[in-house]
Amino acid sequence: MTELTGEVINIRAASSSRVETILINILEETRRGNDLLENLIKNPSQPAKDTLTHEEAAAYLGIASQTLYDYVSEQKIPFSKVGRKNLFRKSELDNWIEENRNSAKGGKG
């Protein structure tokens, strides 16, 4: 995800290193989008094996669709934007679950 989502940048006022960072982030997002599009073109009947639609990702995580929209808008969860669609990789969701896991403390055993 790029740090620029929803952010307005005044390129003229930005430092050259900030502009370079912005361009690198845009390039990385474009590459990820291109990879997803290539997978969708190769398999038009279904998203790539590891790729979930918004609804599928919400079901996979066991959360409401609106909760997932909230996580996306707050950039709390990894996703890729392809056109107007948010797509999610199962592997990234699994990593996100592990990274956000609360371990039990003080339990018996």
Side-chain angles (χ1 to χ4, degrees), residues 1 5 54 58 63-79 86 88 96:
M1 278 180 295
T5 305
H54 182 93
I63 60 176
S65 180
Q66 184 57 52
T67 301
L68 185 55
Y69 278 118
D70 293 342
Y71 288 171
V72 167
S73 69
E74 296 166 7
Q75 297 186 9
K76 290 184 176 181
I77 195 162
F79 70 98
N86 295 330
F88 304 84
W96 178 80

Side-chain angles (χ1 to χ4, degrees), residues 36-53 56 85 87:
L36 286 172
L37 284 173
E38 284 179 22
N39 284 333
L40 290 171
I41 289 168
K42 290 176 185 174
N43 303 305
S45 62
Q46 63 185 21
K49 188 176 185 181
D50 187 49
T51 304
L52 302 175
T53 65
E56 292 168 334
K85 291 185 178 186
L87 298 177

Side-chain angles (χ1 to χ4, degrees), residues 7-48:
E7 185 179 346
V8 176
I9 303 293
N10 181 347
I11 295 293
R12 290 183 186 164
S15 68
S16 61
S17 63
R18 176 75 172 134
V19 171
E20 182 179 352
T21 300
I22 291 167
L23 293 174
I24 289 170
N25 287 339
I26 291 169
L27 181 60
E28 288 171 357
E29 285 296 315
T30 302
R31 285 182 182 149
R32 271 186 279 218
N34 285 342
D35 290 345
L36 286 172
L37 284 173
E38 284 179 22
N39 284 333
L40 290 171
I41 289 168
K42 290 176 185 174
N43 303 305
S45 62
Q46 63 185 21

